[in-house]
Amino acid sequence: MRKADASSALLLCVMMLVSRPSLAQGARALQMDTGGQPLATALTDLARRAERELVIENAAEISRAAPRLNGRYTFDQALPLLLAGSGLTFKRTADGTYVVYLASPLPSLEPESPVALPELLVTARSQNSDIPRTQDDIQPYKVWTAHDVGASHADTLDDFFRTRLSSNAQPFAAIQDPARQNGGSRSEINMRGMGSSQTLVLIDGRRVPSLPSVDNTFLQPDINGVPLSAIDRIEVLTATSGGVYGAGAVAGAVNIVLKRDYRGADLAVTYGDTSRFDARTKRVDGRIGFTPDGGRTDVMIALSDFRGADLRTGERDYPARARARRYANDPATFLADNYVRKPADLARIDLLFAPGLITPWASLLTRESTSSALLSVRHRFGASVEAYLDALALRDEGRSYTSRPYIGIPPSTLLKGVSSSDDGLEQRSRTTTTRVTAGLIVDLPAAWKLNADYTAGQAEVRSLANYHYTPGTFGSYRQSNNLRVFSARLAGTVMDLPGGPLTLSLLAEDRREHAPIPMVEHYDLFFWVNGMPYGVTQSLRSYYAEARAPLIPRDGGHGLLSGLELQLAARHEMMRAVAPANLDDLLFANDDPVDYRQTAPVYTLGFRVFPIPDVMLRGSLATGVVPPPIDQLARVTMRYLASEGGRGASTALQFGLHTSDPKRRGVLIGGEQPLLITFGGSPTAERARSVSVGVVATPRAAPGLRVSVDYTRIVKSREPVVIQGGSAQYFLEHEDLFPGRVIRAPLTDADRAKGYTGGVVTSLDTSAFIIGETISEMVDVQVDYRIATRKAGDLRFSSSATWQPLLRRRAELYHDARNAVGSAQEPLAWRGTASLEWSRGPWLAGLAADFYARYHVPRFGEYKPRADQMTRFQGSEWIPSQIYFDLAGAYRFELPPTAPMHALEARFGIRNLLDRDAPVVAQDYYGMGYSSLADPRGRRFELSLISRF
């Protein structure tokens, strides 16, 4: 009944707002005072107050201050006055949209679009269903343009985010761990080190099918197949915002906006290689846009294909140098830890450390290849209705060769210094993602707009292992996830406030993901360590509203409250997860079906204000939620009897039942009667709350300068914690600490006569405790400065850095929370990137730097003897800080009017300009011998030719 009441109330609110006439009139005069505002902000505020549709091409590039306008102006009077002397001009499209653009654009790394089609500020006609966000928004956003993405010369989006997003704490790329990732090459974004499941990834403001996994969870989507040339901009929120984005946006959200509106054709060919000519890459990107009916219909098709590098251990000496360092720093432990190394082999020890002699054919990097196809079709029915079809298909495939699993390096390899790929394992992994969206945009009365669409998509994961050491044997696995979403968005102006119009955006969404039972051939334990996936469904129904209220104008007469604007976004999420009973007798005796339901209200509340003309203060309070995955919901009960031979022995090993009952000395656990063991997670959604405050300065004394500093604190609670990995033996040995978890039969007189102090154990509950908590604190700093001169060209400086002093986790019941920052595979205390770019005429040159602070050798929470040994092997407690420089350049050729191409541009890039080696890691967690923050390929060159027809 409560759900029905909430839905009825929301529907009534929508009807009232739609029926209310707009109080704003486009031709009326508006009271304005633009002193101290950035030009882009002044233009946006003008359009919102006048209820005009305004598009600013490359808004992030416009950093100059607005001219002072103080008085009453109509929209048509104010717009040319604001653009006077800025080098900007505007045009009005047929449907009344105003497009602001550079009159004489600077050379760009992105081909110039012959026709720019309109985009709405509230409901985007370019199929970005989210409200476009800027770096001066109420919450702290980082925005990259197509120019920024192209200048990075990154191979994939995963490469781009690992080097350019300072808040991304993903410890290594999948391609850097060929063996344990099964040859996978998927992307993963881990904001603040809180886990990839806490970062929401969107394309064009919409969900992408999650990747299914072998442990019955839905993983972050793989976006490596998205071609960089197809990206219009990237919006990254670095704080919790469940009210805006819904479930999953705990550590932040990433929205990748693709280019959709384009007429013309362009073709780009890229070739890259290392300075050693041993890891070449190739890429081809093409795009065409046209109208078949004089402008009512627009069609755009884009295709891309990328072939990545194939780097082997024999082509770099990192594994050999890591072995040499272990031996040099602790030879006794080095020799004792490997059963095939004997003191008699010391005479040959130099051979063992020679580069490339041990598994030189094995992959140091997984060879990755991606391809994509994008389609956008739009058709206008009259002046108020537009239909669109938006489709994408992405493929990301990896291939690797590794040594025989579980066995290690054969003795013959160490003694002879040679190895053969016939003794290894070939692994292939492919993810394919498809998504099709069809929808309508309808102009309603009173300047309201309705956007309704339906999305269907699928993500599929395929894995293949070819065991060369046993000819003719292989294992294969295929699993898919089917997504369907129906959504309806309503947006418009409610009323005119003193600071501008009050806007409201409403959304109703119904989403369902279903992963059926996978297809498996030649079952092998190499693939599955957590049980066989058995078909799961996750659905969510959401109602959302976001209001932006500019309460006070920026006229300088309101003191500290000048320009006060409020944001309120709220969602009501209704989550459900369903899984059938697992009757796999190989692993479990019995299991119950899962049918989990929970509701979660989340919100985002924020403000911004301009206490002085050149300074903006902003702050927000937000909550978020992460639905429990299926593997956490499933509480499995296993029947264990020690006398059942091999099956019982393997189960005992898995759950740590390796000794007698502490209260029944000499009696094996499960040796007297069957024992029921329950394990698993907990049916509780994790909750998060974040606070963010920041300041943005755009001093008039230095036009083109923007500085922002934002502090964010995220507290995530109600996390499930499995004590000691769910070890049944641990619960038995600490029975008094866990009341109700160990159930025994009554103690009999016969038991007392034998000296027993407890009855026979009949059941054990090792499932998770809801005690986990993660607290993250960080400060993000961004500085942008652009200087334009007539003779020397334009100079642009941009930098961003993240200082994260705290990531405190509580992961055990009786242990204090500890700070994980600065440990291996955890967030660094400092990360930053900076770039300097110069352009003049057809020339462009840029230099970029990426900085990574030092970090501890052992991982957070590592077993102390193991941590001490790793430190001894390394010879230091720290992996040193790292800095790498990249160089980029471009030249646009002037072509005669008779040339078949309209434009031709050449781009040139050098990654790791100084060819700095990665720090050697003597014993790490992915076994490649170098710091995963670096690229083992070293210096790389890349050349692109882009032609536009």
Side-chain angles (χ1 to χ4, degrees), residues 511-823:
R511 183 172 73 250
R512 180 180 183 271
E513 291 187 281
H514 174 66
I517 297 175
M519 298 181 62
V520 180
E521 294 183 48
H522 292 257
Y523 176 85
D524 192 288
L525 288 177
F526 177 72
F527 278 101
W528 301 281
V529 295
N530 295 318
M532 189 77 71
Y534 45 91
V536 296
T537 302
Q538 185 170 282
S539 59
L540 185 144
R541 183 170 294 174
S542 177
Y543 299 100
Y544 150 88
E546 180 177 359
R548 302 292 289 262
L551 299 179
I552 300 177
R554 292 180 54 190
D555 57 7
H558 297 83
L560 297 179
L561 297 180
S562 293
L564 175 62
E565 181 179 1
L566 300 182
Q567 174 191 19
L568 174 60
R571 278 183 182 260
H572 184 70
E573 309 263 81
M574 293 174 285
M575 303 169 286
R576 184 181 183 188
V578 178
N582 186 356
L583 303 179
D584 182 2
D585 291 332
L586 179 65
L587 296 176
F588 310 121
N590 67 294
D591 188 10
D592 296 325
V594 172
D595 191 349
Y596 161 85
R597 301 168 189 249
Q598 186 170 347
T599 60
V602 287
Y603 66 86
T604 299
L605 176 64
F607 77 93
R608 65 177 177 179
V609 69
F610 298 82
I612 58 178
D614 300 345
V615 176
M616 178 183 78
L617 300 180
R618 59 185 174 190
S620 61
L621 173 66
T623 61
V625 63
V626 180
I630 298 294
D631 68 327
Q632 179 179 316
L633 293 172
R635 292 166 59 90
V636 177
T637 300
M638 181 202 71
R639 177 182 176 274
Y640 169 64
L641 186 62
S643 61
E644 290 186 346
R647 177 171 178 260
S650 64
T651 305
L653 179 64
Q654 181 177 0
F655 297 102
L657 296 173
H658 51 75
T659 185
S660 62
D661 186 339
K663 294 186 177 182
R664 303 175 70 85
R665 296 296 180 185
V667 178
L668 291 177
I669 300 170
E672 298 172 288
Q673 69 178 55
L675 168 67
L676 298 179
I677 305 176
T678 300
F679 63 96
S682 172
T684 303
E686 300 176 18
R687 303 297 183 100
R689 174 173 294 188
S690 78
V691 176
S692 180
V693 293
V695 57
V696 180
T698 54
R700 284 174 289 182
L705 175 63
R706 179 190 180 277
V707 180
S708 66
V709 181
D710 292 280
Y711 164 82
T712 303
R713 175 184 171 90
I714 302 174
V715 179
K716 187 158 70 73
S717 59
R718 307 187 73 177
E719 298 175 334
V721 173
V722 178
I723 304 299
Q724 292 292 315
S727 168
Q729 186 70 41
Y730 181 83
F731 278 81
L732 283 169
E733 293 175 354
H734 300 82
E735 183 175 340
D736 295 340
L737 299 179
F738 305 102
R741 293 284 183 136
V742 180
I743 306 299
R744 294 178 178 271
L747 185 66
T748 66
D749 293 338
D751 291 336
R752 293 187 184 93
K754 296 179 181 179
Y756 298 161
T757 58
V760 177
V761 177
T762 58
S763 65
L764 271 172
D765 184 359
T766 69
S767 59
F769 291 77
I770 309 303
I771 60 169
E773 183 182 67
T774 300
I775 301 177
S776 176
E777 293 183 0
M778 68 294 297
V779 176
D780 295 304
V781 181
Q782 185 170 336
V783 179
D784 297 287
Y785 193 24
R786 183 167 183 172
I787 303 174
T789 66
R790 292 186 177 181
K791 294 184 179 181
D794 286 2
L795 196 64
R796 178 191 175 196
F797 173 78
S798 180
S799 68
S800 62
T802 295
W803 173 47
Q804 185 164 352
L806 182 66
L807 180 64
R808 190 168 64 223
R809 293 195 179 107
R810 186 187 182 194
E812 286 290 349
L813 184 61
Y814 297 102
H815 291 176
D816 294 332
R818 296 169 52 196
N819 189 7
V821 170
S823 300

Side-chain angles (χ1 to χ4, degrees), residues 302-624:
L303 302 173
S304 177
D305 185 79
F306 168 74
R307 302 300 171 93
D310 186 12
L311 191 68
R312 305 298 179 94
T313 58
E315 295 168 327
R316 295 294 183 273
D317 61 356
Y318 290 116
R321 289 163 63 188
R323 294 192 301 273
R325 178 169 293 189
R326 290 199 296 272
Y327 174 71
N329 290 327
D330 193 352
T333 305
F334 176 81
L335 293 173
D337 279 354
N338 194 303
Y339 67 91
V340 299
R341 294 180 178 130
K342 302 175 183 178
D345 297 325
L346 288 176
R348 304 173 183 175
I349 203 72
D350 291 337
L351 287 179
L352 302 186
F353 300 139
L357 287 185
I358 296 182
T359 59
W361 46 267
S363 298
L364 189 63
L365 286 179
T366 295
R367 184 171 66 189
E368 181 178 19
S369 63
T370 66
S371 59
S372 67
L374 307 176
L375 171 67
S376 177
V377 181
R378 300 170 48 194
H379 182 77
R380 284 169 285 277
F381 298 91
S384 59
V385 179
E386 179 177 315
Y388 59 85
L389 177 69
D390 172 14
L392 63 86
L394 310 175
R395 179 192 64 87
D396 183 14
E397 184 171 355
R399 183 176 183 179
S400 68
Y401 301 89
T402 56
S403 56
R404 182 186 301 201
Y406 306 126
I407 297 177
I409 302 170
S412 60
T413 296
L414 288 170
L415 298 178
K416 299 179 181 179
V418 295
S419 60
S420 169
S421 60
D422 293 337
D423 202 32
L425 170 68
E426 177 187 357
Q427 300 179 92
R428 297 188 182 187
S429 181
R430 174 191 295 178
T431 67
T432 55
T433 302
T434 57
R435 192 188 70 180
V436 179
T437 301
L440 289 173
I441 299 174
V442 181
D443 293 337
L444 301 175
W448 280 74
K449 297 187 181 297
L450 173 67
N451 179 195
D453 57 38
Y454 178 81
T455 297
Q458 183 184 75
E460 184 181 75
V461 178
R462 294 190 180 190
S463 296
L464 174 68
N466 188 353
Y467 305 96
H468 290 288
Y469 50 84
T470 308
T473 62
F474 68 94
S476 67
Y477 159 80
R478 186 175 73 180
Q479 189 179 14
S480 62
N481 172 36
N482 301 302
L483 168 73
R484 66 126 179 97
V485 184
F486 175 79
S487 65
R489 182 186 291 269
L490 186 66
T493 299
V494 179
M495 62 184 298
D496 208 21
L497 298 176
L502 169 64
T503 60
L504 183 66
S505 182
L506 305 172
L507 174 71
E509 182 181 68
D510 186 87
R511 183 172 73 250
R512 180 180 183 271
E513 291 187 281
H514 174 66
I517 297 175
M519 298 181 62
V520 180
E521 294 183 48
H522 292 257
Y523 176 85
D524 192 288
L525 288 177
F526 177 72
F527 278 101
W528 301 281
V529 295
N530 295 318
M532 189 77 71
Y534 45 91
V536 296
T537 302
Q538 185 170 282
S539 59
L540 185 144
R541 183 170 294 174
S542 177
Y543 299 100
Y544 150 88
E546 180 177 359
R548 302 292 289 262
L551 299 179
I552 300 177
R554 292 180 54 190
D555 57 7
H558 297 83
L560 297 179
L561 297 180
S562 293
L564 175 62
E565 181 179 1
L566 300 182
Q567 174 191 19
L568 174 60
R571 278 183 182 260
H572 184 70
E573 309 263 81
M574 293 174 285
M575 303 169 286
R576 184 181 183 188
V578 178
N582 186 356
L583 303 179
D584 182 2
D585 291 332
L586 179 65
L587 296 176
F588 310 121
N590 67 294
D591 188 10
D592 296 325
V594 172
D595 191 349
Y596 161 85
R597 301 168 189 249
Q598 186 170 347
T599 60
V602 287
Y603 66 86
T604 299
L605 176 64
F607 77 93
R608 65 177 177 179
V609 69
F610 298 82
I612 58 178
D614 300 345
V615 176
M616 178 183 78
L617 300 180
R618 59 185 174 190
S620 61
L621 173 66
T623 61

Side-chain angles (χ1 to χ4, degrees), residues 155-159 161 185-188 201 203 208 211 221-231 256 258 283-285 302-306 368-374 392-397 430-434:
D155 289 338
T156 61
L157 270 174
D158 189 62
D159 185 15
F161 285 123
S185 54
R186 73 181 185 94
S187 63
E188 198 163 4
V201 175
I203 296 180
V208 185
L211 291 185
D222 183 9
I223 55 174
N224 266 351
V226 177
L228 303 186
S229 63
I231 296 173
I256 302 157
L258 303 180
R283 183 193 301 274
V284 177
D285 300 284
L303 302 173
S304 177
D305 185 79
F306 168 74
E368 181 178 19
S369 63
T370 66
S371 59
S372 67
L374 307 176
L392 63 86
L394 310 175
R395 179 192 64 87
D396 183 14
E397 184 171 355
R430 174 191 295 178
T431 67
T432 55
T433 302
T434 57

Side-chain angles (χ1 to χ4, degrees), residues 160-171:
F160 177 83
F161 285 123
R162 280 175 49 78
T163 56
R164 293 296 189 263
L165 180 57
S166 58
S167 57
N168 182 17
Q170 179 61 21

